[in-house]
Amino acid sequence: MSVMLLTAMGVSFLLTLVLGKFVIAELRKLHAGQEIRKDGPSWHAGKAGTPTMGGIMFIIGSGVTAFLMGWEAMLRGEFSHLYVYLFALIFGLIGFVDDYRKVRQHQNEGLTAKQKFILQLAAAVLFLSLMRYEGLLTNALYIPFFNVTVEVNWVLYLIFAAFVIVGCVNAVNLTDGIDGQSSSVTFIVMVFFTVAAAQWKLMPMALFPAALAGGLAAFFCYNRHPAKVFMGDTGSLFMGGAVAALAFAMDMPLILILVGIIYILETLSDIIQVTYFKATHGKRFFKMAPLHHHLELSGWSEAKLVMVFSGVTAVCCILAWVGIQGRY
């Protein structure tokens, strides 16, 4: 990894760390406390009132870092890192509206599922169309490990890509359920994208995941158990947008199966729970969904969950890196 990318991580880390002090203080003044699920683990009740929407700190930290350090590239007409950031920011804004409504109404429900789906789908189609127009996205589907690409009709590819993006964003959102989990897992995913982009000389694309990795590391300092702040949908939807956007901007969406294994397992556990509940008229497959709550109720501590989920993600990211060695 180049000195420039390590510098971006460091700058974003320090900036986010400093911002955190002010953001948390302001959120407390605004009484932006988290409402806890009534059907969640009983010990989570003590987290009620913890400031939420803390994702603002790494959204600003990573954005400012990527913008300033990518300035020379933008003068040359290279905006790939900015496109990815702005796409993630749109999802962050959708999450902010959702969080704001929850805070105002003092309940754990914000935008309706239909409202979020329509907004997210529109954002995905807009991003994909822009990337296609700028020549940064092809309709050739790269298959890792086999080092082959399969040409897909653009309209079919657009439909496939839009739904993968929306699915990925919401899967990342589901992972944000315990202290430090989502930020630690996504930190590792961002390091993977940084290393891959640097290896392929995709600069300044690599600047954004590097900056976000630094921002998430700083956020983890505030979000590790016991959390002083939660990222809220503001942060988790932004992260989901970043993960999905980078996979498509780097023209390897199928790599999400490996690097996003925890996101996928969390989502599958939710789907299995709902399907089984309906099919058996009230019986539960898991003690509680998504998966991290089932493991919590099985006796796993939050610290153990973070360590195991991060470890699994790291192993899968290494496998993913091996699988894309023939990409360029």
Side-chain angles (χ1 to χ4, degrees):
M1 196 181 299
S2 71
V3 173
M4 183 180 185
L5 296 178
L6 289 173
T7 301
M9 279 189 187
V11 170
S12 182
F13 176 84
L14 292 174
L15 182 56
T16 303
L17 203 63
V18 172
L19 279 170
K21 297 287 187 182
F22 297 97
V23 170
I24 293 173
E26 288 302 313
L27 290 173
R28 283 177 178 152
K29 288 179 185 178
L30 294 170
H31 303 290
Q34 177 70 43
E35 298 292 329
I36 303 299
R37 284 176 58 179
K38 294 178 181 178
D39 61 343
S42 58
W43 53 90
H44 280 210
K47 300 183 180 188
T50 302
T52 188
M53 294 191 285
I56 292 170
M57 66 179 78
F58 60 75
I59 291 174
I60 296 174
S62 63
V64 170
T65 301
F67 183 81
L68 292 178
M69 296 195 69
W71 184 253
E72 287 189 17
M74 288 188 287
L75 291 177
R76 298 194 301 268
E78 297 178 36
F79 299 97
S80 58
H81 65 302
L82 196 59
Y83 293 149
V84 172
Y85 173 76
L86 291 176
F87 174 71
L89 183 61
I90 290 173
F91 279 91
L93 290 173
I94 294 171
F96 178 81
V97 172
D98 194 36
D99 283 334
Y100 184 72
R101 291 185 63 169
K102 290 176 186 176
V103 169
R104 284 194 62 185
Q105 296 167 11
H106 298 288
Q107 60 184 26
N108 199 35
E109 295 294 335
L111 294 171
T112 65
K114 184 178 180 180
Q115 288 171 331
K116 282 192 277 192
F117 176 75
I118 291 173
L119 288 170
Q120 291 172 359
L121 190 62
V125 171
L126 180 63
F127 169 74
L128 291 164
S129 299
L130 174 63
M131 296 297 281
R132 172 78 168 181
Y133 176 78
E134 291 290 331
L136 297 171
L137 179 70
T138 70
N139 54 321
L141 194 61
Y142 173 71
I143 303 176
F145 296 101
F146 296 96
N147 196 32
V148 297
T149 55
V150 178
E151 291 289 333
V152 181
N153 175 273
W154 167 242
V155 175
L156 292 177
Y157 187 86
L158 179 64
I159 295 170
F160 156 78
F163 280 96
V164 167
I165 287 174
V166 173
C168 177
V169 170
N170 287 288
V172 174
N173 185 38
L174 267 180
T175 309
D176 182 37
I178 62 171
D179 299 352
Q181 178 175 283
S182 193
S183 54
S184 59
V185 167
T186 307
F187 165 81
I188 295 168
V189 175
M190 287 302 115
V191 171
F192 164 79
F193 280 121
T194 303
V195 172
Q199 180 184 5
W200 299 339
K201 312 298 183 191
L202 297 178
M203 301 292 281
M205 178 82 73
L207 274 174
F208 174 61
L212 184 52
L216 290 175
F219 180 78
F220 182 80
C221 295
Y222 296 112
N223 185 236
R224 64 188 177 87
H225 187 71
K228 298 180 180 68
V229 66
F230 298 136
M231 67 175 66
D233 283 359
T234 304
S236 61
L237 293 186
F238 175 86
M239 288 195 314
V243 172
L246 284 164
F248 278 95
M250 293 172 67
D251 230 359
M252 52 177 190
L254 293 183
I255 210 66
L256 288 171
I257 297 171
L258 274 175
V259 302
I261 187 65
I262 293 299
Y263 310 139
I264 293 170
L265 291 176
E266 294 273 43
T267 304
L268 283 176
S269 69
D270 227 27
I271 294 171
I272 291 169
Q273 184 83 324
V274 172
T275 304
Y276 189 79
F277 186 85
K278 290 180 178 179
T280 59
H281 306 289
K283 292 183 180 180
R284 298 176 186 274
F285 187 87
F286 296 101
K287 293 179 180 180
M288 186 178 176
L291 181 61
H292 59 261
H293 284 324
H294 169 78
L295 294 173
E296 268 193 289
L297 292 172
S298 298
W300 287 38
S301 68
E302 294 190 48
K304 181 178 179 179
L305 275 165
V306 169
M307 183 175 65
V308 172
F309 280 24
S310 296
V312 170
T313 300
V315 170
C316 287
C317 282
I318 292 171
L319 288 174
W321 182 79
V322 172
I324 60 172
Q325 287 310 292
R327 182 70 178 98
Y328 288 103

